[in-house]
Each structure stands twice: as structure tokens, then as C-alpha cells.
Amino acid sequence: IPFAGAEINATNRPPKPGDGTGVVHWLGTDGGAAAAWTNPAEAGRMAVTRSSDAYYGGGKASDAVGDRGTGCFTSGNKGPGQWYLFDFMGYEVAAAWYGLRHGYPHSSRSLRHWRLEASHTGRSDGEWVVLRVHDGDESLNGAYASASWALDAPRPQQSQQQQQQQQQQPEFFRFFRVIMTGENSYGDDRLFLSGFEVWGLVRRSEA
């Protein structure tokens, strides 16, 4: 695959995590070289971290890029701003779509308020670009429910000149972060997430 910007997208319908498409799935097949899929974080092809680990039943952070729904969530009573961070390590992605899967076998505790952010460095004190804001979004509403959202619209904080540049030259990022900005549907601060995927252009990291 030529990594000057190879396209990894679903076609004809909105993509969803676990549908056999997307950059995370592609890494799980070692860039198409492996016949069998393996969790790319557990295979060392990407890294997943989170703000906290649950004391019981919260699974591993790497479960957030698994191929099926499972119990995967952060610890509670930690206050606002719980997050999952996805490091594509040797690659960068210019995302046109992204998708999430709920991390609980019931609609309870579903995400309702969150942001998707991206960064070149992944540093907590560095610059994170807000790609999409969700406020009262009820798209995730069921046991291990999944949904996806388009990211190709100009971001609200951009000037008109920056929007034109984005349309001409898509911006690539190595790090993506899902961060809670309000309580989940149950009314607590735990972030339940067992699926993350992005679709768009991918290239080898310049770092």
C-alpha cells in the first residue's frame, strides 16, 4: 500500500466498528498481511491507554479496540474528564469518519456527552484539536451499541482560510482521544467503551 495517503474507508453506507473496515481493523490484519485478525493493541501495532482502570469488571484498555462488545470501562468517582487515548504509533490518520461501541451489556451507562480530539504529540499538556463535540447524543443506546459520525465538515474553531486548507490538504494525526464532558446515561462519570474505529487516509508517521 502506498503510504502517501492510502484510503481506508467503507463505501455505500455509514461504517461501524467491527464491520471489517477501518484503520484499526486494518492494523489488526497487520496491514492486510495476516489472514487472521488480532487485537492491534495486544499485537503491539498501536497503543491504548485510559484515565483510570476499574477495580472490577472493567476489562483492559486494549479491549477498546477489540472486534466485539465486552465490559470495558474506567473507574468511577474520578470526576469529569475520563478518557481513552489511541496511539497509532507508526502511522498517522486523516479521519473522515469515526465510530464507537458501548462497553456494557445494557443500554445503561451509555455515553451522552463527549468530545473526539486529535493530537500530533499525545501530550496531556500539548495541543489537542477538537474534531467533534457531542452534547446529549443518544446514538449509543443498547447493549454494546455502536454508531459512527462524519468528521469531514470544517471544524467550528477554524477560520475560513483554515477551512479551505483543510479541504485541500487533510490533516493527519497520530493520537486520538475520546474524553467525557458530562455524566453517562446512568448519571455517573465512568466511560464505557469497547470499540473505537476511524476511516479515512493513513500514512506512515513522520515522527
Side-chain angles (χ1 to χ4, degrees), residues 162-179:
Q162 288 173 323
Q163 292 176 8
Q164 293 174 347
Q165 290 175 344
Q166 177 190 333
Q167 293 170 353
Q168 296 171 358
Q169 296 180 335
E171 189 169 5
F172 286 80
F173 296 98
R174 172 177 161 178
F175 301 89
F176 292 82
R177 181 170 68 179
V178 176
I179 182 167

Side-chain angles (χ1 to χ4, degrees), residues 71-85:
C72 185
F73 50 91
T74 64
S75 178
N77 301 317
K78 296 293 185 180
Q82 296 294 296
W83 50 262
Y84 276 79
L85 189 152

Side-chain angles (χ1 to χ4, degrees), residues 99-163:
L100 302 178
R101 183 192 299 116
H102 184 38
Y104 197 63
H106 191 276
S107 61
S108 177
R109 299 173 174 84
S110 299
L111 271 170
R112 290 294 180 260
H113 311 276
W114 75 96
R115 295 193 307 265
L116 177 70
E117 302 176 338
S119 169
H120 299 292
T121 67
R123 294 174 45 144
S124 59
D125 60 348
E127 180 180 354
W128 285 85
V129 176
V130 177
L131 299 182
R132 181 150 184 157
V133 175
H134 301 261
D135 189 11
D137 190 330
E138 298 184 359
S139 300
L140 299 173
N141 193 29
Y144 305 128
S146 61
S148 55
W149 300 268
L151 296 172
D152 51 5
R155 296 190 288 272
Q157 72 270 32
Q158 291 179 318
S159 67
Q160 184 175 2
Q161 181 180 3
Q162 288 173 323
Q163 292 176 8

